[in-house]
Amino acid sequence: MSQLLKLGIPKGSLENATVELFRQAGWTIRLSSRNYFPAIDDEEMACSLIRSQEMSKYVERGTIDVGIAGRDWVMENDSDVEIISDLVYSKVSRRPARWVLVVTQDSPVQKPEDLAGKTISTELVGFTRRYFAERNVPVEVEFSWGATEAKVVEGLCDAIVEVTETGSTIKANGLRIVETLMESTPVVLVNRQAWQDPWKRRKIEQLNTLLQAALRAEKMVGLKMNAPHERVEAITGILPSLNRPTVAHLYQSDWVSIETVLHEGEVRRIVPELVKLGAQGIIEYPLSKII
């Protein structure tokens, strides 16, 4: 029997973005509302849908060889796994999620130490307990099943530890951020024994390389054009590129073909300039991977 890599796909907020990222990287994952084992077009891999909050537990015990989950939940579970890379999904957010210590606007608390002897409500119980224990600040940490912000507003606790990106919702609820305790992005995490297996390591490295290549290609496009040879210096002088633009002579002609890679937001600015400099036949095309 051939070897099999067991892959964990995060169920929930990252689910669709992860499947789309795999599509860009070269794998088709087919989800079904009726089961937790998506099909993947790779006979050397098998998928399971697992909540990000639990992913690191299954990876640590080896039920899953490699998975994707938020770094925050790896830290919450204090899991002994190998984190090999970060994945920042532009289709979810370009900002890391922040877990912040929050109080009401009129609270006397100005720093974490001011909460000694107080009660904190959060979903991130393990991490919060360790955070305050490392600073020798005695607090009572309670698990919150939801509506965490309302608990501090209603006086059911003295502070909360909540996740945010911009902090705007926290401000809108009349609350104040005391301190950021952790920043989190999705990560690729690997079982340590799987990482030591030569076949699985090669497969995981292939997977990670192509996922990172797909991420690098997001919002990037290729631009190709023809131009007179005497205009090459002027045109390449304004072209952004990963290294330097590619210039190739056209067959039996004193014209050249110029090709580069740039952010799609730059195209609308730069194309009119290229036309003024004599570029013709300008083509923009999408990119799926940059390696």
Side-chain angles (χ1 to χ4, degrees):
M1 182 178 175
S2 60
Q3 294 201 59
L4 195 66
L5 187 74
K6 295 170 289 186
L7 169 67
I9 302 295
K11 182 171 177 58
S13 61
L14 292 176
E15 184 177 334
N16 290 333
T18 299
V19 171
E20 174 59 18
L21 178 61
F22 270 81
R23 186 197 65 77
Q24 289 177 248
W27 285 273
T28 299
I29 297 173
R30 293 185 297 277
L31 300 171
S32 170
S33 59
R34 297 183 179 182
N35 69 59
Y36 288 86
F37 305 99
I40 185 169
D41 62 341
D42 187 331
E43 62 184 15
E44 296 178 335
M45 294 170 65
C47 294
S48 298
L49 273 180
I50 299 171
R51 287 281 178 188
S52 186
Q53 293 91 327
E54 300 177 297
M55 186 72 74
S56 65
K57 296 178 182 179
Y58 291 106
V59 172
E60 180 176 19
R61 70 180 65 159
T63 308
I64 297 295
D65 295 315
V66 56
I68 294 169
R71 185 183 290 270
D72 46 3
W73 294 108
V74 180
M75 296 179 71
E76 166 66 6
N77 297 328
D78 199 21
S79 299
D80 183 22
V81 295
E82 189 81 31
I83 294 177
I84 61 171
S85 70
D86 287 82
L87 301 174
V88 182
Y89 296 66
S90 67
K91 288 183 173 60
V92 177
S93 175
R94 280 291 185 188
R95 296 174 174 167
R98 293 189 297 147
W99 284 89
V100 292
L101 181 63
V102 176
V103 296
T104 55
Q105 287 287 357
D106 59 357
S107 171
V109 173
Q110 298 298 322
K111 56 185 185 298
E113 289 74 15
D114 294 338
L115 283 164
K118 305 295 184 180
T119 301
I120 301 172
S121 185
T122 184
E123 290 182 74
L124 214 64
V125 173
F127 171 82
T128 302
R129 283 176 178 159
R130 290 193 300 275
Y131 180 91
F132 281 92
E134 288 167 3
R135 289 155 181 78
N136 296 314
V137 180
V139 293
E140 180 68 26
V141 182
E142 298 177 341
F143 179 75
S144 173
W145 289 97
T148 308
E149 291 172 349
K151 292 181 173 67
V152 70
V153 171
E154 295 170 6
L156 301 178
C157 59
D158 299 290
I160 61 172
V161 172
E162 181 68 317
V163 67
T164 186
E165 285 187 6
T166 65
S168 57
T169 303
I170 288 170
K171 278 186 182 178
N173 284 301
L175 303 176
R176 171 169 54 87
I177 295 174
V178 176
E179 190 165 307
T180 297
L181 307 190
M182 170 179 45
E183 290 192 346
S184 175
T185 58
V187 295
V188 179
L189 54 148
V190 181
N191 173 268
R192 292 195 181 278
Q193 284 186 315
W195 195 233
Q196 296 306 313
D197 178 283
W199 183 86
K200 288 185 176 181
R201 184 164 185 147
R202 282 195 299 272
K203 189 71 176 177
I204 292 167
E205 287 175 340
Q206 174 203 31
L207 177 73
N208 187 55
T209 295
L210 293 174
L211 290 177
Q212 294 295 337
L215 284 172
R216 281 193 291 272
E218 286 187 347
K219 304 295 184 183
M220 302 295 286
V221 297
L223 205 62
K224 191 171 184 176
M225 69 209 75
N226 295 333
H229 185 271
E230 65 269 15
R231 306 304 295 164
V232 169
E233 291 300 323
I235 289 173
T236 57
I238 68 167
L239 282 178
S241 64
L242 294 178
N243 292 305
R244 291 182 63 83
T246 299
V247 178
H249 287 276
L250 299 182
Y251 181 62
Q252 293 184 343
S253 171
D254 57 358
W255 280 55
V256 298
S257 171
I258 303 173
E259 194 165 5
T260 192
V261 172
L262 70 165
H263 191 278
E264 64 181 5
E266 287 286 295
V267 174
R268 61 179 179 265
R269 176 190 65 81
I270 206 165
V271 165
E273 295 182 40
L274 294 172
V275 172
K276 287 179 182 178
L277 291 172
Q280 297 181 11
I282 301 172
I283 300 170
E284 177 188 344
Y285 54 92
L287 302 173
S288 60
K289 302 177 199 62
I290 297 177
I291 300 173

mmCIF file of all heavy atoms in Angstrom, residues 24 33 40 42 69 82 88 97 110 130 150 204 230 265:
data_model
loop_
_atom_site.group_PDB
_atom_site.id
_atom_site.type_symbol
_atom_site.label_atom_id
_atom_site.label_comp_id
_atom_site.label_asym_id
_atom_site.label_seq_id
_atom_site.Cartn_x
_atom_site.Cartn_y
_atom_site.Cartn_z
ATOM 1 N N GLN A 24 -5.567 27.181 -5.898
ATOM 2 C CA GLN A 24 -4.522 27.982 -6.540
ATOM 3 C C GLN A 24 -3.179 27.252 -6.521
ATOM 4 O O GLN A 24 -2.374 27.393 -7.440
ATOM 5 C CB GLN A 24 -4.378 29.327 -5.830
ATOM 6 C CG GLN A 24 -5.541 30.277 -6.045
ATOM 7 C CD GLN A 24 -5.361 31.554 -5.255
ATOM 8 O OE1 GLN A 24 -6.076 31.835 -4.310
ATOM 9 N NE2 GLN A 24 -4.364 32.338 -5.629
ATOM 10 N N SER A 33 -21.539 18.801 2.501
ATOM 11 C CA SER A 33 -22.210 19.131 3.761
ATOM 12 C C SER A 33 -22.558 17.882 4.561
ATOM 13 O O SER A 33 -22.922 17.968 5.726
ATOM 14 C CB SER A 33 -23.493 19.927 3.476
ATOM 15 O OG SER A 33 -24.370 19.169 2.651
ATOM 16 N N ILE A 40 -9.971 14.848 -2.246
ATOM 17 C CA ILE A 40 -8.876 15.639 -2.808
ATOM 18 C C ILE A 40 -8.284 14.871 -3.980
ATOM 19 O O ILE A 40 -8.197 13.627 -3.939
ATOM 20 C CB ILE A 40 -7.803 15.946 -1.738
ATOM 21 C CG1 ILE A 40 -6.727 16.885 -2.307
ATOM 22 C CG2 ILE A 40 -7.194 14.678 -1.156
ATOM 23 C CD1 ILE A 40 -5.789 17.452 -1.255
ATOM 24 N N ASP A 42 -5.581 13.883 -5.081
ATOM 25 C CA ASP A 42 -4.200 13.445 -4.858
ATOM 26 C C ASP A 42 -4.276 12.132 -4.095
ATOM 27 O O ASP A 42 -4.673 12.106 -2.922
ATOM 28 C CB ASP A 42 -3.430 14.503 -4.046
ATOM 29 C CG ASP A 42 -1.942 14.191 -3.928
ATOM 30 O OD1 ASP A 42 -1.581 12.996 -3.949
ATOM 31 O OD2 ASP A 42 -1.145 15.138 -3.798
ATOM 32 N N ALA A 69 -4.273 25.828 11.027
ATOM 33 C CA ALA A 69 -5.068 26.354 12.135
ATOM 34 C C ALA A 69 -4.485 27.683 12.561
ATOM 35 O O ALA A 69 -3.365 28.035 12.189
ATOM 36 C CB ALA A 69 -5.068 25.375 13.313
ATOM 37 N N GLU A 82 5.219 20.936 15.279
ATOM 38 C CA GLU A 82 6.182 21.734 14.502
ATOM 39 C C GLU A 82 5.394 22.726 13.652
ATOM 40 O O GLU A 82 4.548 22.330 12.844
ATOM 41 C CB GLU A 82 6.997 20.819 13.596
ATOM 42 C CG GLU A 82 8.154 21.485 12.903
ATOM 43 C CD GLU A 82 9.378 21.620 13.787
ATOM 44 O OE1 GLU A 82 9.582 20.764 14.666
ATOM 45 O OE2 GLU A 82 10.125 22.595 13.585
ATOM 46 N N VAL A 88 -0.987 33.927 5.412
ATOM 47 C CA VAL A 88 -1.799 35.125 5.584
ATOM 48 C C VAL A 88 -2.756 35.202 4.405
ATOM 49 O O VAL A 88 -2.365 35.518 3.286
ATOM 50 C CB VAL A 88 -0.932 36.402 5.676
ATOM 51 C CG1 VAL A 88 -1.817 37.610 5.915
ATOM 52 C CG2 VAL A 88 0.086 36.262 6.802
ATOM 53 N N ALA A 97 -4.835 38.450 13.524
ATOM 54 C CA ALA A 97 -5.837 38.604 14.578
ATOM 55 C C ALA A 97 -5.108 38.943 15.873
ATOM 56 O O ALA A 97 -4.016 38.426 16.136
ATOM 57 C CB ALA A 97 -6.632 37.316 14.732
ATOM 58 N N GLN A 110 -5.251 49.943 34.169
ATOM 59 C CA GLN A 110 -4.409 50.558 33.137
ATOM 60 C C GLN A 110 -3.361 49.598 32.593
ATOM 61 O O GLN A 110 -2.787 49.832 31.540
ATOM 62 C CB GLN A 110 -3.712 51.807 33.709
ATOM 63 C CG GLN A 110 -4.668 52.900 34.163
ATOM 64 C CD GLN A 110 -5.507 53.455 33.020
ATOM 65 O OE1 GLN A 110 -5.026 53.608 31.890
ATOM 66 N NE2 GLN A 110 -6.777 53.742 33.298
ATOM 67 N N ARG A 130 -1.822 31.156 31.589
ATOM 68 C CA ARG A 130 -0.355 31.121 31.550
ATOM 69 C C ARG A 130 0.220 32.528 31.451
ATOM 70 O O ARG A 130 1.258 32.823 32.058
ATOM 71 C CB ARG A 130 0.117 30.264 30.369
ATOM 72 C CG ARG A 130 -0.155 28.777 30.545
ATOM 73 C CD ARG A 130 0.595 27.935 29.511
ATOM 74 N NE ARG A 130 0.220 28.261 28.143
ATOM 75 C CZ ARG A 130 -0.823 27.743 27.497
ATOM 76 N NH1 ARG A 130 -1.617 26.877 28.110
ATOM 77 N NH2 ARG A 130 -1.086 28.083 26.261
ATOM 78 N N ALA A 150 -20.241 41.446 26.173
ATOM 79 C CA ALA A 150 -21.390 41.800 27.013
ATOM 80 C C ALA A 150 -21.125 41.501 28.482
ATOM 81 O O ALA A 150 -21.639 42.194 29.371
ATOM 82 C CB ALA A 150 -22.636 41.052 26.541
ATOM 83 N N ILE A 204 5.118 17.119 2.632
ATOM 84 C CA ILE A 204 4.727 18.329 3.364
ATOM 85 C C ILE A 204 5.473 19.540 2.820
ATOM 86 O O ILE A 204 4.886 20.619 2.657
ATOM 87 C CB ILE A 204 5.003 18.153 4.880
ATOM 88 C CG1 ILE A 204 4.060 17.089 5.461
ATOM 89 C CG2 ILE A 204 4.832 19.481 5.621
ATOM 90 C CD1 ILE A 204 4.456 16.617 6.853
ATOM 91 N N GLU A 230 14.970 51.141 -29.076
ATOM 92 C CA GLU A 230 15.535 52.374 -28.508
ATOM 93 C C GLU A 230 14.746 52.883 -27.290
ATOM 94 O O GLU A 230 15.203 53.782 -26.595
ATOM 95 C CB GLU A 230 15.618 53.467 -29.584
ATOM 96 C CG GLU A 230 14.277 53.948 -30.116
ATOM 97 C CD GLU A 230 13.820 53.158 -31.316
ATOM 98 O OE1 GLU A 230 14.386 52.056 -31.560
ATOM 99 O OE2 GLU A 230 12.915 53.631 -32.035
ATOM 100 N N GLY A 265 -2.659 46.515 -8.510
ATOM 101 C CA GLY A 265 -3.020 47.897 -8.256
ATOM 102 C C GLY A 265 -2.143 48.901 -8.981
ATOM 103 O O GLY A 265 -2.516 50.071 -9.143
#
